[in-house]
Amino acid sequence: GAVVSQHPSRVICKSGTSVKIECRSLDFQATTMFWYRQFPKQSLMLMATSNEGSKATYEQGVEKDKFLINHASLTLSTLTVTSAHPEDSSFYICSARGQLANYGYTFGSGTRLTVV
Amino acid sequence: QQQVKQSPQSLIVQKGGISIINCAYENTAFDYFPWYQQFPGKGPALLIAIRPDVSEKKEGRFTISFNKSAKQFSLHIMDSQPGDSATYFCAASRNSGNTPLVFGKGTRLSVIA
């Protein structure tokens, strides 16, 4: 079945630094990538949607200059948290859909970001 | 605006019992209704999904019941096991390649022996 590899699984960074999270679709072409954020004991909240080769569409309240999304190829999308602050500490999850997905959404395993 | 309402927030079930989680949606354009299981520190994993042209779908111990007129769908876990203890999310989306899933708030299921 479809697999999305997300790395790193855990990362700790200092306040003010940037962190990059990668999601790779291993056996299909991800034409659309969704990025979610999940706080403890809460649901997944959509941050942005990106289509390969296009600029990402951000949800209301999500700072596009802080959460940089790149989807330059059909197999790789990245989320960069810039100038991270402790309040950015969260669980970040990507989800990919292919052109022939027929409703399927494939999720990455998530990245636990801790900003100290 | 919460487009998918999920209940209960938490659920405790005896081993061997039936776990039932309910969801209601508002957007009649939704036509894909999956259920996800999530363990701590892991991404959500698809359990089972249904489209509105059927009223029920069963896969092993997991069954989705779908009521289009009431805009409700539910997950039934038969013969619940301690290994089923996890957080379950219902979700919904429209049939479009770049349409994201909208998630319910989740149900924390604990199956006790």
Side-chain angles (χ1 to χ4, degrees):
Chain A
V3 176
V4 171
S5 176
Q6 183 171 347
H7 293 281
S9 58
R10 290 177 175 268
V11 59
I12 301 173
C13 71
K14 293 183 177 181
S15 291
T17 62
S18 296
V19 173
K20 180 183 286 188
I21 300 169
E22 289 189 353
C23 277
R24 294 181 181 273
S25 56
L26 300 185
D27 48 6
F28 69 103
Q29 294 183 326
T31 52
T32 305
M33 189 72 76
F34 307 100
W35 287 93
Y36 293 86
R37 179 168 52 185
Q38 185 178 33
F39 292 106
K41 299 185 179 180
Q42 293 189 21
S43 188
L44 287 78
M45 297 302 296
L46 181 69
M47 298 176 66
T49 301
S50 72
N51 294 301
E52 183 266 336
S54 302
K55 288 185 177 180
T57 301
Y58 290 81
E59 295 299 299
Q60 191 172 10
V62 178
E63 300 174 58
K64 63 180 182 180
D65 294 330
K66 181 173 184 60
F67 299 98
L68 302 179
I69 292 173
N70 184 287
H71 192 174
S73 79
L74 286 171
T75 59
L76 174 65
S77 179
T78 61
L79 167 66
T80 301
V81 183
T82 63
S83 186
H85 290 105
E87 57 264 33
D88 299 325
S89 298
S90 187
F91 193 55
Y92 293 86
I93 309 170
C94 62
S95 173
R97 291 195 87 182
Q99 203 164 20
L100 302 177
N102 192 24
Y103 294 108
Y105 298 80
T106 304
F107 283 83
S109 55
T111 297
R112 172 71 60 192
L113 170 63
T114 303
V115 184
V116 297
Chain B
Q1 180 185 8
Q2 185 184 351
Q3 296 192 59
V4 179
K5 295 183 179 181
Q6 183 173 347
S7 62
Q9 190 172 9
S10 63
L11 182 61
I12 299 174
V13 173
Q14 291 276 357
K15 179 182 176 181
I18 302 174
S19 304
I20 302 175
I21 305 171
N22 301 299
C23 280
Y25 63 97
E26 300 169 3
N27 189 341
T28 55
F30 287 152
D31 58 2
Y32 175 66
F33 304 90
W35 284 90
Y36 286 87
Q37 179 189 59
Q38 186 180 33
F39 293 103
K42 304 294 183 182
L46 179 65
L47 265 181
I48 186 172
I50 198 168
R51 302 180 191 182
D53 53 345
V54 297
S55 60
E56 185 175 283
K57 183 175 181 180
K58 182 177 181 179
E59 290 183 0
R61 296 186 294 111
F62 302 96
T63 300
I64 296 181
S65 297
F66 183 80
N67 186 329
K68 187 175 181 178
S69 60
K71 294 188 287 185
Q72 296 176 347
F73 59 110
S74 61
L75 174 69
H76 294 227
I77 305 174
M78 312 300 287
D79 188 25
S80 299
Q81 299 297 312
D84 296 330
S85 298
T87 300
Y88 293 81
F89 294 96
C90 62
S93 74
R94 290 184 290 118
N95 180 20
S96 170
N98 60 355
T99 302
L101 283 168
V102 178
F103 284 87
K105 290 192 172 184
T107 297
R108 299 188 74 179
L109 172 64
S110 297
V111 181
I112 56 175

